Amino acid sequence: MEKGRIIFLNGVTSSGKTSIVEALQDREDIFFYVVANDLFQEMVGERFLRQNYWKYLSEVIIMMYHTAKLYSDMGKNVLIDGILVERKEIKPHYKQLLNILKDNPLDIVEVYCPPDICRQRNIARGDRYETQSDEQYELMAKNIAYSAKVDTSLYSAEECAETIISELITGHIS
């Protein structure tokens, strides 16, 4: 059985990852299952997250990668809506991702948005604090081998989705 494609949308909060996920899921030409940091974080009770946020978040992030691997192994395409951060609780995060998914077709897409626009989006959302994106940017893994980059300050979620499909999927179909 052919393994499903895994596309990891990597970016800080409010960079536009979830909007791109929704645009990709609205397409008629390809189907993706979605795993996301936010969804897996909900698997941990609030009390435990308050006690030791990074310990529990790190554990569910690794479980999320194994879930993506399972779907891919079953021939299903998967989007990962997340952020590769390097904190002591999960280091080496990027290497762990690559190790878990070493036998699966993985593309990592940088979802970029300038910090000032992310701050504005955080305020507008109301469920993030203003500087959350800035803090995450400082924690992001460095030297990631990206397959593609999209800038959500310049292009709509639909245009970013089209770029991802045309650069990563259409180019690989024989």
Side-chain angles (χ1 to χ4, degrees), residues 92-125:
H93 185 171
Y94 178 48
K95 287 183 181 178
Q96 285 189 73
L97 168 77
L98 295 179
N99 185 52
I100 292 166
L101 300 176
K102 69 181 178 283
D103 297 324
N104 300 82
L106 170 67
D107 286 295
I108 304 174
V109 176
E110 180 180 8
V111 179
Y112 175 78
C113 182
D116 58 320
I117 294 175
C118 284
R119 277 186 230 107
Q120 292 168 12
R121 290 177 181 176
N122 286 338
I123 293 167
R125 287 175 69 157

